[in-house]
Amino acid sequence: MDQDWEPGTVFGAHIPFVRACGIEALDVHDGRTRLRLALRPDHANNLGIAHGGVLCTLLDVALGTAARLRVGRPVVTLDMQTRFLNPGRGLLLAEGRVTRPGRSVIFCEAEIRDADGELVASATGLLKPVSRSAD
């Protein structure tokens, strides 16, 4: 599924926090969303590696984009289980996919790898489709 998305969006969605974090939407292929984050100094923890919060954000966006594109409407994350496996440095690539779609809950998986292909973090999540309003 290759589409022309509006510039500055995450596969067509305006998400200001994602833009502030510097997360870029790359493409969607075989139902998998791919994203990129070039780590900046303000993404670091006190050890100089990617802060767990920025890794969780990248995983959440990967889960959410896969779910949103599958159901064609906004989703919210109900639950996310995260595993931190290796330090995040440099350029990070994330991929999200739906493992089981449902009417009320969507099961997804995501992972982050560094530029060398080393697995940095992974997550599973439950996401819920919602209406377009914030109510």
mmCIF file of all heavy atoms in Angstrom, residues 10-54:
data_model
loop_
_atom_site.group_PDB
_atom_site.id
_atom_site.type_symbol
_atom_site.label_atom_id
_atom_site.label_comp_id
_atom_site.label_asym_id
_atom_site.label_seq_id
_atom_site.Cartn_x
_atom_site.Cartn_y
_atom_site.Cartn_z
ATOM 1 N N VAL A 10 1.678 11.835 9.740
ATOM 2 C CA VAL A 10 2.073 10.456 10.003
ATOM 3 C C VAL A 10 1.050 9.584 9.282
ATOM 4 O O VAL A 10 -0.030 9.323 9.797
ATOM 5 C CB VAL A 10 2.090 10.153 11.523
ATOM 6 C CG1 VAL A 10 2.577 8.736 11.768
ATOM 7 C CG2 VAL A 10 2.962 11.152 12.259
ATOM 8 N N PHE A 11 1.375 9.233 8.046
ATOM 9 C CA PHE A 11 0.471 8.469 7.187
ATOM 10 C C PHE A 11 -0.920 9.115 7.150
ATOM 11 O O PHE A 11 -1.934 8.470 7.320
ATOM 12 C CB PHE A 11 0.387 7.001 7.623
ATOM 13 C CG PHE A 11 1.725 6.330 7.683
ATOM 14 C CD1 PHE A 11 2.216 5.843 8.876
ATOM 15 C CD2 PHE A 11 2.500 6.185 6.542
ATOM 16 C CE1 PHE A 11 3.453 5.214 8.934
ATOM 17 C CE2 PHE A 11 3.746 5.572 6.588
ATOM 18 C CZ PHE A 11 4.230 5.086 7.790
ATOM 19 N N GLY A 12 -0.942 10.450 6.969
ATOM 20 C CA GLY A 12 -2.190 11.179 6.821
ATOM 21 C C GLY A 12 -2.756 11.790 8.087
ATOM 22 O O GLY A 12 -3.692 12.574 8.021
ATOM 23 N N ALA A 13 -2.215 11.467 9.247
ATOM 24 C CA ALA A 13 -2.715 12.014 10.517
ATOM 25 C C ALA A 13 -1.794 13.134 11.017
ATOM 26 O O ALA A 13 -0.569 12.999 10.980
ATOM 27 C CB ALA A 13 -2.806 10.918 11.575
ATOM 28 N N HIS A 14 -2.401 14.221 11.482
ATOM 29 C CA HIS A 14 -1.642 15.319 12.084
ATOM 30 C C HIS A 14 -1.475 15.005 13.563
ATOM 31 O O HIS A 14 -2.455 15.003 14.316
ATOM 32 C CB HIS A 14 -2.378 16.649 11.906
ATOM 33 C CG HIS A 14 -2.444 17.087 10.479
ATOM 34 N ND1 HIS A 14 -1.418 17.785 9.883
ATOM 35 C CD2 HIS A 14 -3.388 16.903 9.532
ATOM 36 C CE1 HIS A 14 -1.735 18.013 8.618
ATOM 37 N NE2 HIS A 14 -2.927 17.490 8.380
ATOM 38 N N ILE A 15 -0.246 14.734 13.992
ATOM 39 C CA ILE A 15 0.031 14.401 15.390
ATOM 40 C C ILE A 15 1.183 15.304 15.853
ATOM 41 O O ILE A 15 2.353 14.977 15.649
ATOM 42 C CB ILE A 15 0.391 12.908 15.566
ATOM 43 C CG1 ILE A 15 -0.659 12.020 14.890
ATOM 44 C CG2 ILE A 15 0.535 12.564 17.051
ATOM 45 C CD1 ILE A 15 -0.288 10.540 14.836
ATOM 46 N N PRO A 16 0.873 16.450 16.461
ATOM 47 C CA PRO A 16 1.914 17.413 16.835
ATOM 48 C C PRO A 16 3.030 16.825 17.705
ATOM 49 O O PRO A 16 4.198 17.164 17.509
ATOM 50 C CB PRO A 16 1.134 18.500 17.590
ATOM 51 C CG PRO A 16 -0.250 18.417 17.032
ATOM 52 C CD PRO A 16 -0.472 16.950 16.756
ATOM 53 N N PHE A 17 2.698 15.949 18.646
ATOM 54 C CA PHE A 17 3.736 15.378 19.521
ATOM 55 C C PHE A 17 4.738 14.544 18.730
ATOM 56 O O PHE A 17 5.940 14.588 18.992
ATOM 57 C CB PHE A 17 3.096 14.544 20.636
ATOM 58 C CG PHE A 17 4.102 13.998 21.606
ATOM 59 C CD1 PHE A 17 4.833 14.854 22.424
ATOM 60 C CD2 PHE A 17 4.338 12.638 21.708
ATOM 61 C CE1 PHE A 17 5.772 14.354 23.321
ATOM 62 C CE2 PHE A 17 5.273 12.131 22.594
ATOM 63 C CZ PHE A 17 5.994 13.000 23.406
ATOM 64 N N VAL A 18 4.254 13.808 17.754
ATOM 65 C CA VAL A 18 5.137 12.987 16.921
ATOM 66 C C VAL A 18 6.089 13.889 16.139
ATOM 67 O O VAL A 18 7.282 13.606 16.040
ATOM 68 C CB VAL A 18 4.316 12.070 15.988
ATOM 69 C CG1 VAL A 18 5.197 11.367 14.977
ATOM 70 C CG2 VAL A 18 3.543 11.054 16.819
ATOM 71 N N ARG A 19 5.562 14.970 15.614
ATOM 72 C CA ARG A 19 6.412 15.925 14.891
ATOM 73 C C ARG A 19 7.458 16.522 15.833
ATOM 74 O O ARG A 19 8.626 16.637 15.471
ATOM 75 C CB ARG A 19 5.566 17.029 14.276
ATOM 76 C CG ARG A 19 6.440 18.037 13.496
ATOM 77 C CD ARG A 19 5.644 19.159 12.931
ATOM 78 N NE ARG A 19 4.772 18.657 11.887
ATOM 79 C CZ ARG A 19 3.872 19.403 11.277
ATOM 80 N NH1 ARG A 19 3.710 20.662 11.618
ATOM 81 N NH2 ARG A 19 3.128 18.905 10.333
ATOM 82 N N ALA A 20 7.056 16.889 17.056
ATOM 83 C CA ALA A 20 7.996 17.463 18.021
ATOM 84 C C ALA A 20 9.110 16.483 18.378
ATOM 85 O O ALA A 20 10.249 16.893 18.615
ATOM 86 C CB ALA A 20 7.250 17.890 19.285
ATOM 87 N N CYS A 21 8.795 15.199 18.394
ATOM 88 C CA CYS A 21 9.794 14.171 18.702
ATOM 89 C C CYS A 21 10.741 13.923 17.535
ATOM 90 O O CYS A 21 11.820 13.366 17.721
ATOM 91 C CB CYS A 21 9.115 12.855 19.081
ATOM 92 S SG CYS A 21 8.291 12.881 20.674
ATOM 93 N N GLY A 22 10.334 14.313 16.328
ATOM 94 C CA GLY A 22 11.172 14.095 15.158
ATOM 95 C C GLY A 22 10.947 12.756 14.480
ATOM 96 O O GLY A 22 11.755 12.333 13.651
ATOM 97 N N ILE A 23 9.847 12.093 14.775
ATOM 98 C CA ILE A 23 9.541 10.799 14.162
ATOM 99 C C ILE A 23 9.018 11.032 12.750
ATOM 100 O O ILE A 23 8.137 11.859 12.545
ATOM 101 C CB ILE A 23 8.509 10.029 15.006
ATOM 102 C CG1 ILE A 23 9.097 9.710 16.381
ATOM 103 C CG2 ILE A 23 8.058 8.760 14.289
ATOM 104 C CD1 ILE A 23 8.102 9.164 17.384
ATOM 105 N N GLU A 24 9.580 10.297 11.797
ATOM 106 C CA GLU A 24 9.193 10.419 10.394
ATOM 107 C C GLU A 24 8.510 9.146 9.916
ATOM 108 O O GLU A 24 8.996 8.040 10.168
ATOM 109 C CB GLU A 24 10.423 10.625 9.515
ATOM 110 C CG GLU A 24 11.282 11.812 9.865
ATOM 111 C CD GLU A 24 12.566 11.761 9.069
ATOM 112 O OE1 GLU A 24 12.507 12.051 7.861
ATOM 113 O OE2 GLU A 24 13.600 11.412 9.656
ATOM 114 N N ALA A 25 7.410 9.296 9.205
ATOM 115 C CA ALA A 25 6.738 8.162 8.570
ATOM 116 C C ALA A 25 7.463 7.851 7.265
ATOM 117 O O ALA A 25 7.664 8.748 6.444
ATOM 118 C CB ALA A 25 5.276 8.512 8.301
ATOM 119 N N LEU A 26 7.873 6.596 7.082
ATOM 120 C CA LEU A 26 8.575 6.202 5.867
ATOM 121 C C LEU A 26 7.633 5.618 4.828
ATOM 122 O O LEU A 26 7.469 6.162 3.752
ATOM 123 C CB LEU A 26 9.680 5.194 6.184
ATOM 124 C CG LEU A 26 10.824 5.698 7.055
ATOM 125 C CD1 LEU A 26 11.824 4.580 7.310
ATOM 126 C CD2 LEU A 26 11.500 6.898 6.413
ATOM 127 N N ASP A 27 7.041 4.461 5.146
ATOM 128 C CA ASP A 27 6.166 3.813 4.177
ATOM 129 C C ASP A 27 5.327 2.745 4.855
ATOM 130 O O ASP A 27 5.496 2.445 6.037
ATOM 131 C CB ASP A 27 6.960 3.212 3.011
ATOM 132 C CG ASP A 27 7.995 2.180 3.443
ATOM 133 O OD1 ASP A 27 7.739 1.408 4.379
ATOM 134 O OD2 ASP A 27 9.069 2.140 2.823
ATOM 135 N N VAL A 28 4.411 2.200 4.066
ATOM 136 C CA VAL A 28 3.566 1.083 4.491
ATOM 137 C C VAL A 28 3.729 0.006 3.431
ATOM 138 O O VAL A 28 3.570 0.276 2.243
ATOM 139 C CB VAL A 28 2.082 1.500 4.594
ATOM 140 C CG1 VAL A 28 1.224 0.324 5.051
ATOM 141 C CG2 VAL A 28 1.911 2.690 5.512
ATOM 142 N N HIS A 29 4.063 -1.198 3.871
ATOM 143 C CA HIS A 29 4.242 -2.301 2.923
ATOM 144 C C HIS A 29 3.710 -3.577 3.568
ATOM 145 O O HIS A 29 4.073 -3.900 4.701
ATOM 146 C CB HIS A 29 5.722 -2.455 2.574
ATOM 147 C CG HIS A 29 5.983 -3.493 1.531
ATOM 148 N ND1 HIS A 29 5.603 -3.330 0.221
ATOM 149 C CD2 HIS A 29 6.545 -4.708 1.622
ATOM 150 C CE1 HIS A 29 5.950 -4.408 -0.459
ATOM 151 N NE2 HIS A 29 6.517 -5.256 0.376
ATOM 152 N N ASP A 30 2.840 -4.271 2.865
ATOM 153 C CA ASP A 30 2.233 -5.502 3.376
ATOM 154 C C ASP A 30 1.610 -5.290 4.754
ATOM 155 O O ASP A 30 1.726 -6.141 5.639
ATOM 156 C CB ASP A 30 3.261 -6.640 3.437
ATOM 157 C CG ASP A 30 3.684 -7.111 2.056
ATOM 158 O OD1 ASP A 30 2.874 -6.985 1.106
ATOM 159 O OD2 ASP A 30 4.816 -7.606 1.923
ATOM 160 N N GLY A 31 0.959 -4.136 4.946
ATOM 161 C CA GLY A 31 0.289 -3.844 6.205
ATOM 162 C C GLY A 31 1.220 -3.439 7.338
ATOM 163 O O GLY A 31 0.772 -3.243 8.462
ATOM 164 N N ARG A 32 2.491 -3.297 7.073
ATOM 165 C CA ARG A 32 3.466 -2.902 8.100
ATOM 166 C C ARG A 32 3.842 -1.441 7.901
ATOM 167 O O ARG A 32 4.206 -1.041 6.797
ATOM 168 C CB ARG A 32 4.727 -3.757 8.012
ATOM 169 C CG ARG A 32 4.476 -5.213 8.330
ATOM 170 C CD ARG A 32 5.713 -6.047 8.021
ATOM 171 N NE ARG A 32 5.434 -7.451 8.208
ATOM 172 C CZ ARG A 32 5.799 -8.150 9.264
ATOM 173 N NH1 ARG A 32 6.480 -7.581 10.237
ATOM 174 N NH2 ARG A 32 5.493 -9.427 9.362
ATOM 175 N N THR A 33 3.737 -0.668 8.968
ATOM 176 C CA THR A 33 4.151 0.729 8.901
ATOM 177 C C THR A 33 5.617 0.803 9.307
ATOM 178 O O THR A 33 6.067 0.102 10.213
ATOM 179 C CB THR A 33 3.303 1.611 9.832
ATOM 180 O OG1 THR A 33 3.392 1.126 11.174
ATOM 181 C CG2 THR A 33 1.856 1.642 9.390
ATOM 182 N N ARG A 34 6.348 1.663 8.613
ATOM 183 C CA ARG A 34 7.764 1.848 8.933
ATOM 184 C C ARG A 34 8.007 3.321 9.233
ATOM 185 O O ARG A 34 7.534 4.199 8.512
ATOM 186 C CB ARG A 34 8.647 1.376 7.776
ATOM 187 C CG ARG A 34 8.616 -0.123 7.616
ATOM 188 C CD ARG A 34 9.539 -0.684 6.529
ATOM 189 N NE ARG A 34 10.094 0.276 5.614
ATOM 190 C CZ ARG A 34 11.390 0.645 5.593
ATOM 191 N NH1 ARG A 34 12.259 0.125 6.428
ATOM 192 N NH2 ARG A 34 11.816 1.529 4.700
ATOM 193 N N LEU A 35 8.746 3.553 10.330
ATOM 194 C CA LEU A 35 9.030 4.901 10.805
ATOM 195 C C LEU A 35 10.514 5.035 11.098
ATOM 196 O O LEU A 35 11.200 4.026 11.298
ATOM 197 C CB LEU A 35 8.240 5.182 12.087
ATOM 198 C CG LEU A 35 6.735 4.991 11.962
ATOM 199 C CD1 LEU A 35 6.233 4.109 13.068
ATOM 200 C CD2 LEU A 35 6.045 6.319 11.962
ATOM 201 N N ARG A 36 10.975 6.287 11.164
ATOM 202 C CA ARG A 36 12.395 6.539 11.430
ATOM 203 C C ARG A 36 12.510 7.650 12.463
ATOM 204 O O ARG A 36 11.729 8.601 12.467
ATOM 205 C CB ARG A 36 13.079 6.956 10.136
ATOM 206 C CG ARG A 36 14.504 7.420 10.298
ATOM 207 C CD ARG A 36 15.196 7.739 8.996
ATOM 208 N NE ARG A 36 14.398 8.615 8.158
ATOM 209 C CZ ARG A 36 14.404 8.591 6.823
ATOM 210 N NH1 ARG A 36 15.151 7.743 6.171
ATOM 211 N NH2 ARG A 36 13.650 9.437 6.135
ATOM 212 N N LEU A 37 13.514 7.509 13.317
ATOM 213 C CA LEU A 37 13.841 8.553 14.283
ATOM 214 C C LEU A 37 15.354 8.700 14.350
ATOM 215 O O LEU A 37 16.056 7.755 14.722
ATOM 216 C CB LEU A 37 13.291 8.220 15.674
ATOM 217 C CG LEU A 37 13.675 9.198 16.783
ATOM 218 C CD1 LEU A 37 13.150 10.600 16.497
ATOM 219 C CD2 LEU A 37 13.180 8.708 18.133
ATOM 220 N N ALA A 38 15.841 9.863 13.950
ATOM 221 C CA ALA A 38 17.257 10.190 14.110
ATOM 222 C C ALA A 38 17.397 10.788 15.503
ATOM 223 O O ALA A 38 16.883 11.883 15.768
ATOM 224 C CB ALA A 38 17.700 11.171 13.037
ATOM 225 N N LEU A 39 18.040 10.047 16.389
ATOM 226 C CA LEU A 39 18.147 10.498 17.778
ATOM 227 C C LEU A 39 18.927 11.805 17.874
ATOM 228 O O LEU A 39 19.932 12.007 17.190
ATOM 229 C CB LEU A 39 18.825 9.425 18.635
ATOM 230 C CG LEU A 39 17.993 8.172 18.856
ATOM 231 C CD1 LEU A 39 18.825 7.108 19.560
ATOM 232 C CD2 LEU A 39 16.737 8.479 19.659
ATOM 233 N N ARG A 40 18.419 12.689 18.736
ATOM 234 C CA ARG A 40 19.044 13.971 19.007
ATOM 235 C C ARG A 40 19.543 13.963 20.448
ATOM 236 O O ARG A 40 19.116 13.116 21.254
ATOM 237 C CB ARG A 40 18.021 15.102 18.842
ATOM 238 C CG ARG A 40 17.306 15.122 17.507
ATOM 239 C CD ARG A 40 16.332 16.296 17.419
ATOM 240 N NE ARG A 40 15.382 16.370 18.522
ATOM 241 C CZ ARG A 40 14.060 16.403 18.387
ATOM 242 N NH1 ARG A 40 13.507 16.343 17.187
ATOM 243 N NH2 ARG A 40 13.281 16.501 19.441
ATOM 244 N N PRO A 41 20.398 14.899 20.816
ATOM 245 C CA PRO A 41 20.870 14.951 22.210
ATOM 246 C C PRO A 41 19.736 15.040 23.225
ATOM 247 O O PRO A 41 19.833 14.474 24.316
ATOM 248 C CB PRO A 41 21.751 16.215 22.238
ATOM 249 C CG PRO A 41 22.243 16.349 20.830
ATOM 250 C CD PRO A 41 21.093 15.872 19.966
ATOM 251 N N ASP A 42 18.632 15.707 22.879
ATOM 252 C CA ASP A 42 17.525 15.834 23.832
ATOM 253 C C ASP A 42 16.679 14.563 23.937
ATOM 254 O O ASP A 42 15.748 14.505 24.743
ATOM 255 C CB ASP A 42 16.651 17.050 23.524
ATOM 256 C CG ASP A 42 16.015 17.032 22.152
ATOM 257 O OD1 ASP A 42 16.591 16.437 21.226
ATOM 258 O OD2 ASP A 42 14.932 17.625 21.998
ATOM 259 N N HIS A 43 16.995 13.516 23.184
ATOM 260 C CA HIS A 43 16.344 12.209 23.317
ATOM 261 C C HIS A 43 17.080 11.303 24.295
ATOM 262 O O HIS A 43 16.641 10.190 24.557
ATOM 263 C CB HIS A 43 16.292 11.488 21.960
ATOM 264 C CG HIS A 43 15.369 12.088 20.969
ATOM 265 N ND1 HIS A 43 15.729 12.265 19.655
ATOM 266 C CD2 HIS A 43 14.099 12.554 21.073
ATOM 267 C CE1 HIS A 43 14.720 12.804 18.988
ATOM 268 N NE2 HIS A 43 13.723 12.999 19.836
ATOM 269 N N ALA A 44 18.213 11.750 24.816
ATOM 270 C CA ALA A 44 19.085 10.889 25.627
ATOM 271 C C ALA A 44 18.700 10.868 27.105
ATOM 272 O O ALA A 44 18.121 11.814 27.635
ATOM 273 C CB ALA A 44 20.531 11.350 25.492
ATOM 274 N N ASN A 45 19.075 9.764 27.739
ATOM 275 C CA ASN A 45 18.977 9.682 29.200
ATOM 276 C C ASN A 45 20.336 10.075 29.785
ATOM 277 O O ASN A 45 21.221 10.539 29.060
ATOM 278 C CB ASN A 45 18.525 8.281 29.644
ATOM 279 C CG ASN A 45 19.517 7.184 29.295
ATOM 280 O OD1 ASN A 45 20.678 7.437 28.965
ATOM 281 N ND2 ASN A 45 19.071 5.943 29.352
ATOM 282 N N ASN A 46 20.528 9.872 31.081
ATOM 283 C CA ASN A 46 21.779 10.280 31.713
ATOM 284 C C ASN A 46 22.973 9.402 31.312
ATOM 285 O O ASN A 46 24.110 9.739 31.607
ATOM 286 C CB ASN A 46 21.629 10.310 33.235
ATOM 287 C CG ASN A 46 21.303 8.949 33.805
ATOM 288 O OD1 ASN A 46 20.538 8.183 33.216
ATOM 289 N ND2 ASN A 46 21.863 8.632 34.955
ATOM 290 N N LEU A 47 22.738 8.311 30.594
ATOM 291 C CA LEU A 47 23.822 7.459 30.102
ATOM 292 C C LEU A 47 24.221 7.816 28.671
ATOM 293 O O LEU A 47 25.138 7.209 28.106
ATOM 294 C CB LEU A 47 23.411 5.984 30.166
ATOM 295 C CG LEU A 47 23.064 5.449 31.550
ATOM 296 C CD1 LEU A 47 22.512 4.040 31.446
ATOM 297 C CD2 LEU A 47 24.288 5.503 32.451
ATOM 298 N N GLY A 48 23.483 8.743 28.063
ATOM 299 C CA GLY A 48 23.798 9.149 26.709
ATOM 300 C C GLY A 48 23.177 8.270 25.633
ATOM 301 O O GLY A 48 23.519 8.390 24.459
ATOM 302 N N ILE A 49 22.274 7.388 26.018
ATOM 303 C CA ILE A 49 21.561 6.540 25.060
ATOM 304 C C ILE A 49 20.094 6.971 25.019
ATOM 305 O O ILE A 49 19.657 7.783 25.822
ATOM 306 C CB ILE A 49 21.685 5.040 25.420
ATOM 307 C CG1 ILE A 49 21.131 4.768 26.818
ATOM 308 C CG2 ILE A 49 23.145 4.585 25.300
ATOM 309 C CD1 ILE A 49 21.104 3.294 27.213
ATOM 310 N N ALA A 50 19.342 6.401 24.079
ATOM 311 C CA ALA A 50 17.934 6.785 23.936
ATOM 312 C C ALA A 50 17.176 6.585 25.246
ATOM 313 O O ALA A 50 17.242 5.521 25.858
ATOM 314 C CB ALA A 50 17.287 5.971 22.829
ATOM 315 N N HIS A 51 16.454 7.608 25.662
ATOM 316 C CA HIS A 51 15.605 7.526 26.851
ATOM 317 C C HIS A 51 14.465 6.545 26.573
ATOM 318 O O HIS A 51 13.938 6.491 25.456
ATOM 319 C CB HIS A 51 15.054 8.920 27.161
ATOM 320 C CG HIS A 51 14.321 8.993 28.445
ATOM 321 N ND1 HIS A 51 13.026 8.546 28.592
ATOM 322 C CD2 HIS A 51 14.710 9.461 29.658
ATOM 323 C CE1 HIS A 51 12.646 8.731 29.834
ATOM 324 N NE2 HIS A 51 13.651 9.291 30.503
ATOM 325 N N GLY A 52 14.080 5.790 27.580
ATOM 326 C CA GLY A 52 12.981 4.836 27.426
ATOM 327 C C GLY A 52 11.695 5.487 26.973
ATOM 328 O O GLY A 52 10.897 4.887 26.253
ATOM 329 N N GLY A 53 11.476 6.741 27.341
ATOM 330 C CA GLY A 53 10.259 7.443 26.938
ATOM 331 C C GLY A 53 10.182 7.672 25.443
ATOM 332 O O GLY A 53 9.119 7.526 24.848
ATOM 333 N N VAL A 54 11.306 8.003 24.825
ATOM 334 C CA VAL A 54 11.280 8.217 23.375
ATOM 335 C C VAL A 54 11.134 6.879 22.653
ATOM 336 O O VAL A 54 10.473 6.799 21.619
ATOM 337 C CB VAL A 54 12.505 9.034 22.886
ATOM 338 C CG1 VAL A 54 13.768 8.192 22.818
ATOM 339 C CG2 VAL A 54 12.211 9.663 21.533
#
